[in-house]
Amino acid sequence: MNYEYSQKRRKTVHTNSEVDVSGVRVSTVQPSLSTVVSNVATTNTTNVSSSLRRSISPPARRRNCTIASFGTGVSISPPNDLNKPSHLRQNPTTEHKSPRSLPSPVQLSNVESLSPSDNIDTVSLKAILNDPLIKECWVFNYLFDVNFLMSNFDEDVRDLVQVKIVHGSWKAEDSNKIRIDDAVKRFSNVKAFTAYMPEAFGTHHSKMIILFRHDDQAQVIIFTANIVAGDWRMCQAVWRSPLLPLQDETLEGFDAENRSLAIGSGEVFKKDLLAYLHTYGQLKLSGLTTQLEKFDFSNIRAALVASTPGRQNMRSCVSNTETIWGWPGLKRILSNIPVKPGTARPHIVVQVSSVASLGAGNKWLDGTLLDTLATTRPTKSKTNPKPRFSLVFPTAEEIRRSLDGYGSGGSIHMKTQSTAQANQLARLRPMLCYWAGDGSPSAASTSTMASSDVREAGRRRAAPHIKTYIRFNDESMQRIDWAMMTSANLSTQAWGAATNSGGEVRICSYEIGVVVWPALWDENDEDHAEMVPAFKKDLPSSKHNAANDGDDSNQKTTVGWRMPYDLPLVPYLSDEMPWCAAAPDKEPDWMGRTWPGFGSD
């Protein structure tokens, strides 16, 4: 929906800036928030929209202001509880209110067409952006509808927020670039930057928002959706940092050796994020990195995993403090995650929206990516079973029954037509599992479990554009060793090719995501946290804590991970085929439409 600025708005006088009755700002100098608030106070209330009747005055400026939550210092968040990052949110929907149960660090996106019970604790793009305290917003993504993006900001500061768009569409004839360039001309407060794209087969696939606020706080949001309305009708995921205060001036110049350099700490997250942004080139993003350096990331509990295009020589990456990209970066993170040794076979589930051509002989899949995902911190244990792997991917029938039917299928890709693709499918077939698992006759025939045994995620009809990689500690899938949400699909372009004879790893695309694991929430050496799958809400089910009730000495911190798909998984039958957007499909979807197919081999 195009946002029209021709609607009649009040005339507001700004410091060194004017807005005429059409809402088009003449000067590019940004007004101070105090001026805006002052003007609001003196404007006839009958002419002030509802969003400005609430107070938007910023709190007193502060540095490193924290409050106590779950025994740790965390940054103050806005009053709307569902608008908070996970470790600041309380869940009013659960009966079990133990302070040792923590909500999922990742939320699912709100899908309006689903029932309210399936949208508990979810987050929308408007919930992220509709805040009058936002003064500057950097948006990194693959596809953009600028009008849709701007419609999600607070209507009374929409033309004041400084919006910076970063994309990778550099070809003059690229439709995405044409749309962005055309839209930017209509918004005086929006600028677009094109990322450096040195690889012909690479994309700018990262999905991230960085916010700077009038109350001297910042926030980093990493997610899986493009900035187009259709993507927010699919299943997506969002990770949000706590609000980051300005770094205490007394710590500036503080010896780096005295700060935490542990993987998963806020300090390492900040270092890696700045290193990622530096790969775009200082001339383009220097204003962003200079600002971010001033903020305190210490309350973040996550590891950043990212990819940037180019070649990195693994023989020269000898320092553990140097940021590395793609699968080598993920391997380093996983080699630092403590996994409890045992005889149970772990189960790693890959769930993506696209599977590319992975190379001849499946050498990259088995020898590089799956080998990386199986990495653990070295232990002295002699029992270390190799993990089982599953791949969750929708079938054509699941696409037909999704909310947008075949309209969702254009965003989900796995080619199966050529001989090489058929051979790759044969390798993947033992791993393949349904996304919804409730509609195919073949799925129903294999599922003999009682309905009470199915843990429902509430996203069966929302087609998956989300990308998650989860290691469950055994086949029961009751506990999680680590979990990752990322923009990276199953491809060499995203994760990087295998190391060549010169020790180099070639990466084609920009990608970004986060990895979390239970030990990040350990309070001490004796209180070892655990992570469990959470269904239809962000807080773990009370049954996970029942064993601890009545014995405080044995209580554990339990962290949820919001699940996008049901458990147990339902494997494909031998004749089942994954959805292939390139192939035409004459069977109508639930809206009566057929699929013409697109692309060719």
Side-chain angles (χ1 to χ4, degrees), residues 12 17 103 113 206 211 225 230 268 273 340 366 493 543 561 567 581:
T12 307
S17 179
S113 299
S206 295
L211 302 175
V268 172
L273 177 59
K340 186 177 180 180
D366 293 320
Q493 293 87 351
K543 70 178 182 180
W561 173 270
L567 291 179

Side-chain angles (χ1 to χ4, degrees), residues 385-402:
K386 291 184 178 181
R388 171 189 173 188
F389 288 95
S390 293
L391 173 60
V392 174
F393 197 87
T395 63
E397 177 64 17
E398 289 175 322
I399 294 297
R400 285 190 285 269
R401 301 178 68 217
S402 67

Side-chain angles (χ1 to χ4, degrees), residues 234 351-355 391-400 402 408-409 411-414 432-437 460 462-466 572 576-580:
M234 303 174 75
Q351 176 275 306
V352 292
S353 62
S354 179
V355 178
L391 173 60
V392 174
F393 197 87
T395 63
E397 177 64 17
E398 289 175 322
I399 294 297
R400 285 190 285 269
S402 67
S408 299
S411 300
I412 300 172
H413 305 278
M414 184 193 296
L432 283 168
C433 296
Y434 296 97
W435 165 253
R460 292 174 177 174
H465 193 261
I466 183 175
Y572 279 25
E576 197 78 60
M577 293 292 290
W579 164 251
C580 175

Side-chain angles (χ1 to χ4, degrees), residues 225-246:
N226 289 293
I227 305 296
V228 294
D231 266 31
W232 295 84
R233 292 193 293 271
M234 303 174 75
C235 182
Q236 308 283 1
V238 179
W239 174 89
R240 293 186 287 174
S241 76
L243 293 179
L244 309 173
L246 284 170

Side-chain angles (χ1 to χ4, degrees), residues 58-62 215:
R61 296 183 184 271
R62 58 194 182 273
D215 57 0

